[in-house]
Amino acid sequence: MICFSNAHADDALLQQVHQFLYQQTQSLGEEVVIDLRPPSPHLPPCVRPEPFLPNAGQSPLGRVSVGIRCGETHQQVRYLQAQIDVIGSYWVAQHDIERGTLITPDMLVQQSGNLSDLSSQALIDKADIVGKVAQRQIRSGSAFQNHFLQAPSLVERGQRVTVIAQGSSFRVSREGEALESGAQGDRVRVRFDTRELVTARVTEPGILVVDF
């Protein structure tokens, strides 16, 4: 769905931007409503328009700005305003969850609504919620937000850990002391008994890897 507030708007440009936004949002929910504000009539035509999202890492929900590169070499940039509403499903806490609790699937219940009404930090994908640790109390019926959760630590500061150095034709392991706590994928410093320091990637409980 697309709404125009100016009958003299550049229809071709708006249609292209609308299609771009639809491609970016169709996987988020069951219904997408896009309301585009047309460009100023005082602007020259946009040649070879190439839409883009200024905040590429953020889901385009609610009121957003859409960038458009214009010109043969895309040297000109202009912006349109859009309101994007997506009706879809998201997860909320089935009951109160205390701080420090490891989130499991039975703690979640699915709801449906306008995703643009949620916080920009809200997590919609179940895989981004389950297996994380609550960093604060989460009330029953509340949507899960990114800053509420943290990946569980697989390595604790001061813990004796195994560091594996591996390459295409070798694999060597050494034992050392973790100087920082870390979750899976985090890079932490490890000190060996020789006082040598190395930074390694956490892969599983008590195991870190140095890649060559």
Side-chain angles (χ1 to χ4, degrees):
M1 174 180 178
I2 182 168
C3 304
F4 299 129
S5 60
N6 187 337
H8 303 290
D10 185 342
D11 288 1
L13 175 62
L14 288 174
Q15 288 289 353
Q16 185 166 341
V17 174
H18 174 270
Q19 183 62 29
F20 168 76
L21 290 174
Y22 181 74
Q23 291 172 351
Q24 298 294 313
T25 56
Q26 62 176 329
S27 63
L28 297 178
E30 304 150 11
E31 180 184 355
V32 180
V33 180
I34 301 173
D35 183 0
L36 273 172
R37 179 172 297 180
S40 169
H42 304 294
L43 292 174
C46 181
V47 179
R48 298 186 61 186
E50 182 183 275
F52 68 95
L53 291 172
N55 298 320
Q58 186 173 331
S59 296
L61 291 171
R63 189 171 299 278
V64 300
S65 292
V66 187
I68 307 169
R69 299 183 181 94
C70 304
E72 293 295 332
T73 60
H74 292 144
Q75 73 276 17
Q76 303 169 6
V77 178
R78 64 181 63 170
Y79 295 89
L80 294 181
Q81 301 300 310
Q83 174 67 34
I84 304 176
D85 295 318
V86 177
I87 307 303
S89 299
Y90 58 98
W91 299 93
V92 299
Q94 185 161 223
H95 50 72
D96 289 352
I97 299 174
E98 298 300 322
R99 179 180 179 181
T101 301
L102 181 69
I103 307 298
T104 56
D106 61 298
M107 298 178 184
L108 280 59
V109 63
Q110 200 169 40
Q111 287 191 358
S112 181
N114 189 345
L115 301 184
S116 65
D117 290 338
L118 301 176
S119 163
S120 61
Q121 291 286 315
L123 298 172
I124 299 172
D125 192 337
K126 188 177 184 178
D128 293 330
I129 302 170
V130 174
K132 300 291 181 63
V133 176
Q135 295 301 292
R136 52 164 288 178
Q137 185 184 51
I138 303 174
R139 295 290 188 183
S140 175
S142 297
F144 292 89
Q145 300 190 41
N146 187 49
H147 59 280
F148 287 2
L149 306 176
Q150 185 176 35
S153 292
L154 300 181
V155 168
E156 300 294 339
R157 180 180 179 181
Q159 179 183 347
R160 298 297 293 180
V161 297
T162 299
V163 177
I164 300 173
Q166 60 185 19
S168 58
S169 59
F170 69 92
R171 178 185 173 94
V172 179
S173 63
R174 298 174 64 184
E175 188 175 282
E177 178 188 352
L179 300 183
E180 302 158 302
S181 299
Q184 185 172 20
D186 287 348
R187 302 182 67 82
V188 304
R189 292 176 301 151
V190 178
R191 180 172 57 206
F192 299 118
D193 294 338
T194 59
R195 315 304 292 178
E196 177 187 356
L197 291 177
V198 68
T199 299
R201 175 171 51 87
V202 179
T203 58
E204 54 187 287
I207 305 293
L208 301 93
V209 170
V210 178
D211 297 307
F212 290 93

